[in-house]
Amino acid sequence: MTVIPLSSARRSSPRRRAPEIIEAAARVFAERGFHGASTQDIADVLGIRQASLYYYFASKEEALELVCLQGVAGYFEAAKAIASGKGTAADKLARLVKSHLSPLADRGDFVRVFLNERQHLPAESRRRIGKWSRGLERVFEEVLKEGVRRGEFRADLDTRLAVLALLGMANAVAGWHRAEEIAIERVSGEFARLIADGVLKRPQPRARARQAPRSAR
Amino acid sequence: MTVIPLSSARRSSPRRRAPEIIEAAARVFAERGFHGASTQDIADVLGIRQASLYYYFASKEEALELVCLQGVAGYFEAAKAIASGKGTAADKLARLVKSHLSPLADRGDFVRVFLNERQHLPAESRRRIGKWSRGLERVFEEVLKEGVRRGEFRADLDTRLAVLALLGMANAVAGWHRAEEIAIERVSGEFARLIADGVLKRPQPRARARQAPRSAR
DNA sequence: GCCGTTATCTATAGCTCAATAGGTAGAATT
DNA sequence: AATTCTACCTATTGAGCTATAGATAACGGC
């Protein structure tokens, strides 16, 4: 018969030794977009032939999924660890921002591809990956709600909109942090301050009352 | 000879009656991205044949440029009018945000295409269009600097980073304002508040000292 | 009632691209 | 030493896409 049942099982295994290949894909996808990039472009980066790529992935779309997966990896876990840890809500928020921006330094291409190209994933993997995003939003929003409950944050804060604002602001960094020559550490700090205090100057606060005045929990 | 000098001059004129065509292009580009969309897709939206599109534009890239132009149109002028008008810096900032978000309501597709696809424009038109962006950033930054000078805003504010944060936050709205069912008016208000005040609750300010305590100018 | 213009159409050239088939040199395994 | 596996290669197919060429139907002006 025409069946070669091994091949499909085989094909999914040798991916272990392929980090270079997906890194090249990430670079190319980040630069030209998924549809704007050809598999030839990826091969050129690696110095191999176009067809040789198919030893490492079964389709261009699978390559995109692998890149996107590395683009979100760890975000949720890191955020959850911070949210369920110690500290005031304001402290947690600052640390969330910092932790959210730090991957830009060492795998910016992956993050950019996730942010800009995930829409071109086939429906199924898009939904699978989308869950991480929504989970992350939930973690951020819970910290905001906690802050409101504890009286640290404004009672009239729309936490949903605040999350979207915050993530929009943070994710946009991926778009310019190369062109602007500035360390992400610096950006994290400034953003945390901006989110907490805004731009307005206050009639200096007598006591720096950041500790929650309400009862525990 | 082989020259048909009329044709190229002709080609650029009948565009007057073509708003439907670029709107269809905007919709398709917004949905699938420039490279992910085919001219066939655009024709399908309009119910005409693929080749007929070339009566309205000379190339797919020109179509993208036309869409992008409508995606930025007016932003700079509106912002400049606000910046050079009356009011406190905080008021101006709030109005800038509102004016920046309002085009999303009636030409969201154009704005989205400008934001996400302008990178795929040919170098020349990309640079031409990029000037509007940079001009807009400058207007925003000048309002921020004015606020600092007048003592309305924090003296230690990094105005460049604040602009990027603010625009990142605002531009991200294009990505979700459909899915989240919320009026942009509402978003503008909440964002303006967020930018000014941040999320923190203050030990209630005695006097709502928003008027500049410094000398005029 | 002829003529130019406008807004389409059909047909197709020419190209790029993803993906498959099948081969092979060298390293590792037995 | 023979065999298997790994990491490529060459060659090609077939689909899809942009853009051009040339025809035409409807219509308004003269």
Side-chain angles (χ1 to χ4, degrees):
Chain A
M1 289 289 140
T2 58
V3 198
I4 319 145
L6 271 186
S7 110
S8 76
R10 175 94 48 81
R11 184 141 301 137
S12 60
S13 64
R15 229 162 266 141
R16 308 296 139 65
R17 232 172 308 94
E20 270 183 77
I21 276 80
I22 15 175
E23 194 175 337
R27 192 141 98 226
V28 171
F29 289 160
E31 191 156 306
R32 317 199 174 182
F34 177 65
H35 288 295
S38 69
T39 52
Q40 182 66 64
D41 294 333
I42 304 175
D44 287 348
V45 168
L46 292 161
I48 64 176
R49 303 282 157 161
Q50 178 262 341
S52 303
L53 292 172
Y54 287 79
Y55 178 73
Y56 294 96
F57 48 73
S59 71
K60 196 186 166 191
E61 282 179 346
E62 190 190 296
L64 177 61
E65 185 174 353
L66 291 171
V67 172
C68 285
L69 276 171
Q70 290 204 35
V72 266
Y75 273 89
F76 177 75
E77 293 78 0
K80 209 164 176 206
I82 292 171
S84 62
K86 290 196 167 184
T88 66
D91 282 344
K92 286 181 186 175
L93 204 51
R95 273 184 291 155
L96 279 179
V97 170
K98 185 172 174 178
S99 133
H100 190 78
L101 291 182
S102 74
L104 286 180
D106 54 326
R107 45 194 177 106
D109 286 337
F110 293 87
V111 176
R112 262 194 297 281
V113 171
F114 166 75
L115 289 174
N116 303 324
E117 311 298 328
R118 94 191 102 125
Q119 66 191 101
H120 300 117
L121 283 170
E124 196 184 329
S125 44
R126 187 172 60 247
R127 219 151 344 111
R128 209 172 332 123
I129 280 189
K131 288 195 175 169
W132 292 102
S133 298
R134 258 164 282 130
L136 194 72
E137 288 175 14
R138 220 179 319 118
V139 173
F140 272 74
E141 185 160 7
E142 261 153 41
V143 170
L144 286 173
K145 280 183 175 161
E146 182 192 340
V148 172
R149 252 196 334 266
R150 290 214 218 159
E152 281 184 71
F153 297 161
R154 286 162 26 210
D156 63 343
L157 190 71
D158 183 326
T159 54
R160 175 65 183 155
L161 274 185
V163 167
L164 293 170
L166 205 151
L167 285 175
M169 175 171 149
N171 288 336
V173 178
W176 48 256
H177 98 277
R178 285 196 176 205
E180 311 285 320
E181 290 189 8
I182 186 168
I184 347 181
E185 299 275 316
R186 177 86 191 295
V187 180
S188 308
E190 207 70 37
F191 274 24
R193 179 78 195 280
L194 217 46
I195 291 161
D197 288 335
V199 298
L200 284 185
K201 182 176 187 173
R202 318 282 158 187
Q204 64 227 48
R206 251 348 83 123
R208 237 175 176 281
R210 284 221 178 156
Q211 213 55 264
R214 295 216 174 274
S215 66
R217 221 268 141 143
Chain B
M1 289 293 134
T2 57
V3 197
I4 319 146
L6 270 186
S7 110
S8 76
R10 173 96 47 79
R11 182 138 304 140
S12 60
S13 64
R15 230 161 265 142
R16 306 296 136 66
R17 230 173 310 93
E20 271 183 76
I21 277 80
I22 15 176
E23 195 175 336
R27 191 142 97 228
V28 172
F29 289 160
E31 191 155 305
R32 315 199 178 186
F34 177 66
H35 288 294
S38 69
T39 52
Q40 182 65 64
D41 294 332
I42 303 175
D44 288 346
V45 168
L46 292 161
I48 64 176
R49 301 282 158 161
Q50 177 263 340
S52 304
L53 291 173
Y54 286 79
Y55 179 72
Y56 294 96
F57 48 74
S59 70
K60 196 185 164 191
E61 282 179 346
E62 189 189 296
L64 177 60
E65 185 173 354
L66 290 171
V67 172
C68 285
L69 276 171
Q70 289 204 37
V72 268
Y75 273 89
F76 178 75
E77 293 79 0
K80 207 162 178 205
I82 292 171
S84 62
K86 289 194 166 188
T88 65
D91 282 345
K92 286 183 186 175
L93 203 52
R95 275 185 290 155
L96 278 179
V97 170
K98 185 173 175 177
S99 135
H100 190 78
L101 290 181
S102 74
L104 286 180
D106 55 327
R107 44 191 176 107
D109 286 336
F110 292 87
V111 177
R112 261 193 296 283
V113 171
F114 167 74
L115 289 173
N116 302 325
E117 311 298 328
R118 95 190 102 125
Q119 66 191 102
H120 300 116
L121 283 170
E124 196 184 329
S125 44
R126 187 173 60 244
R127 220 149 344 113
R128 210 172 330 124
I129 280 189
K131 288 196 177 169
W132 293 104
S133 298
R134 258 163 282 131
L136 194 72
E137 288 175 14
R138 221 179 317 119
V139 173
F140 272 73
E141 185 160 6
E142 261 153 40
V143 170
L144 285 174
K145 280 181 176 163
E146 183 194 340
V148 172
R149 250 193 339 262
R150 290 215 218 158
E152 281 184 71
F153 298 161
R154 285 160 26 209
D156 62 344
L157 191 70
D158 182 325
T159 54
R160 175 65 183 156
L161 273 185
V163 167
L164 292 170
L166 206 152
L167 285 175
M169 175 171 148
N171 289 336
V173 178
W176 48 257
H177 97 277
R178 284 197 176 201
E180 311 285 319
E181 290 188 10
I182 187 168
I184 347 181
E185 300 276 317
R186 176 87 192 296
V187 180
S188 308
E190 206 70 38
F191 274 25
R193 179 79 196 280
L194 217 44
I195 292 161
D197 288 334
V199 296
L200 284 184
K201 182 177 188 175
R202 316 282 158 188
Q204 66 227 42
R206 246 0 72 128
R208 237 178 174 283
R210 284 222 180 159
Q211 214 53 265
R214 295 218 175 271
S215 64
R217 227 266 138 148

